[in-house]
Amino acid sequence: MKVLLTGGTGFIGSELLKYLTTHEVVLLTRTPSKAKEKLSHTDMGNVRYISSLDDYHHLNDFDAVINLAGEPIADKRWTKKQKKHICESRWTLTEKLVSLIHASTTPPSVFISGSAVGYYGDQQEHPFDETLHVSDHGFTHNVCAKWEQIACRARSEMTRVCLLRTGVVLAPQGGALSKMLPPYRLGLGGPIGHGRQFMPWIHMLDMVRGITYLLETPHAHGEFNLCAPHPVTNKLFSQTLAKTLKRPHLLRTPKWALSLAMGESSVLLFDSIRAKPKKLTELGFHFSYSRIEPALKNLLQHHD
């Protein structure tokens, strides 16, 4: 396949490239020279780098588009300016891609576009799957809902659309886990708030395998929860992480302290999202890591 990839230098995208070596990839990036240097270990000579879509008037030459670009949602405090940047970095590029798909006489057969489990908002302890209808006014829901609405406009008889409602992606380097490790290694780990909030996690291996599976499964379409079949509470995750690192699990971080430090973005830690990947498993996808303990053992096997 010839694949147009956005977000290819990001946390998930750079790992996904390792699974696209049999495909021809055109990678959209602001700085091709930096991207080429960063991805030199994953580029098997199958990647071409472009800095803009301005030279494209259609996407007739592409078999697939994978759209993962977007400002990281958890890296900075949600000021008014940052919220705008988070939204526009997702919505504007997705609109451009959709317009190019519409302008194509032989459009890509699949458009895979990012989203997140933040779409669901706080669902407390209730388990749910992709069929859950959500009416929510929170920022994370609004970002994802509009992002998905824009992406769905690409849908036609010739183009199927898959939406990636991604959970907390766990990897040895980068992402949420790398932020958690320093205090846990010092024996300062513990649950956040009451710790009963559910965390929809996924091992990076299953994340990129899941995207590849959707790319190569012609009848896959619609919303997909990209998270392991067994979400865990924050307390259980915290206990398992401390146990895997052979460190004590004694401290608790009060909700008020994180709310003070993070402001509105603290909902990313306190919203309880017990999402199940029903559609992905019904398609026949098998998770390499469906339980948190084996996942963390694998991810931390090279750490002290």
Side-chain angles (χ1 to χ4, degrees):
M1 286 188 189
K2 186 173 182 180
V3 180
L4 175 60
L5 174 64
T6 76
T9 60
F11 178 50
I12 296 169
S14 55
E15 192 67 24
L16 176 64
L17 274 173
K18 298 174 186 177
Y19 287 77
L20 297 178
T21 53
T22 59
H23 302 290
E24 182 185 348
V25 179
V26 175
L27 194 153
L28 178 65
T29 174
R30 282 191 294 267
T31 50
S33 56
K34 285 185 182 177
K36 198 167 188 177
E37 188 179 339
K38 180 180 179 180
L39 300 171
S40 58
H41 61 295
T42 53
D43 184 349
M44 298 291 114
N46 64 315
V47 182
R48 182 163 66 87
Y49 302 84
I50 60 171
S51 60
S52 168
L53 291 171
D54 292 348
D55 292 336
Y56 289 84
H57 304 291
H58 56 74
L59 298 178
N60 287 339
D61 299 331
F62 290 94
D63 302 299
V65 179
I66 303 176
N67 177 33
L68 303 178
E71 169 75 5
I73 201 164
D75 282 8
K76 296 177 183 175
R77 196 178 179 93
W78 288 353
T79 60
K80 192 174 181 180
K81 182 181 177 182
Q82 181 64 4
K83 279 184 169 183
K84 186 180 179 185
H85 188 31
I86 287 168
C87 293
E88 289 182 351
S89 66
R90 289 159 171 75
W91 301 346
T92 305
L93 177 57
T94 305
E95 283 175 338
K96 175 70 172 172
L97 291 168
V98 170
S99 68
L100 287 171
I101 289 171
H102 283 169
S104 307
T105 51
T106 54
S109 61
V110 59
F111 180 41
I112 298 176
S113 192
S115 185
V117 292
Y119 169 88
Y120 297 108
D122 186 7
Q123 296 297 327
Q124 300 174 8
E125 76 279 6
H126 308 294
F128 60 88
D129 58 36
E130 294 89 349
T131 59
L132 180 69
H133 178 72
V134 177
S135 177
D136 189 280
H137 301 291
F139 177 63
T140 57
H141 172 77
N142 291 336
V143 173
C144 294
K146 184 168 179 180
W147 197 9
E148 291 185 7
Q149 286 166 10
I150 296 167
C152 284
R153 293 176 200 154
R155 189 182 291 144
S156 72
E157 288 183 4
M158 292 182 285
T159 304
R160 59 188 174 91
V161 175
C162 296
L163 303 169
L164 309 172
R165 289 182 178 166
T166 305
V168 178
V169 182
L170 303 177
Q173 282 87 35
L177 190 58
S178 67
K179 293 177 182 177
M180 296 177 202
L181 284 176
Y184 275 83
R185 285 208 182 99
L186 293 171
L188 302 176
I192 295 170
H194 54 57
R196 294 191 296 274
Q197 66 273 32
F198 274 86
M199 173 182 157
W201 63 275
I202 185 168
H203 192 295
M204 178 63 90
L205 173 64
D206 285 323
M207 183 69 211
V208 295
R209 284 183 58 246
I211 295 172
T212 308
Y213 192 82
L214 294 175
L215 176 70
E216 297 171 353
T217 304
H219 54 284
H221 64 91
E223 310 85 356
F224 292 89
N225 290 337
L226 267 289
C227 45
H230 302 287
V232 292
T233 62
N234 172 262
K235 183 178 179 182
L236 181 56
F237 177 87
S238 178
Q239 286 174 334
T240 310
L241 180 55
K243 177 184 171 187
T244 305
L245 290 167
K246 298 182 174 63
R247 297 292 190 272
H249 182 259
L250 303 171
L251 300 181
R252 181 184 297 272
T253 306
K255 183 175 181 177
W256 65 264
L258 283 166
S259 298
L260 192 66
M262 298 176 64
E264 189 184 347
S265 66
S266 63
V267 298
L268 297 170
L269 300 175
F270 295 116
D271 279 359
S272 183
I273 302 174
R274 199 175 179 181
K276 299 278 193 171
K278 185 182 179 187
K279 282 186 67 178
L280 198 55
T281 50
E282 285 183 345
L283 270 183
F285 180 78
H286 296 285
F287 283 82
S288 298
Y289 296 96
S290 60
R291 301 273 182 185
I292 192 62
E293 189 166 357
L296 287 175
K297 282 182 176 176
N298 169 263
L299 292 164
L300 300 173
Q301 63 186 341
H302 301 303
H303 292 274
D304 295 332

